[in-house]
Amino acid sequence: MQGIEEQQAQQEEKQEMIEMTIKEFMDAARLYLFGMPPAPQPVLARIPARPIR
């Protein structure tokens, strides 16, 4: 059973890597073809969810 879980984890990692590679390619193509910089990445909230005491 552990072999199946390892295979699934590896497949998920490969899928994430493929998606990241495609995104990087699309950003580079957009910059090359249209001179448009990549879309901005979302910024993490800098305000704490609750006040710090």
Side-chain angles (χ1 to χ4, degrees):
M1 286 299 206
Q2 189 174 8
I4 294 173
E5 291 175 2
E6 287 179 18
Q7 286 178 344
Q8 287 177 341
Q10 289 176 350
Q11 188 157 358
E12 288 176 5
E13 286 180 25
K14 286 181 183 178
Q15 184 65 30
E16 289 175 6
M17 202 163 196
I18 290 169
E19 290 174 5
M20 189 182 319
T21 303
I22 291 171
K23 182 186 176 307
E24 289 174 358
F25 173 81
M26 295 298 290
D27 287 344
R30 186 179 298 117
L31 181 62
Y32 178 77
L33 294 173
F34 306 114
M36 298 171 58
Q41 298 296 319
V43 177
L44 297 176
R46 295 181 183 165
I47 302 170
R50 61 179 183 192
I52 300 172
R53 296 179 192 192

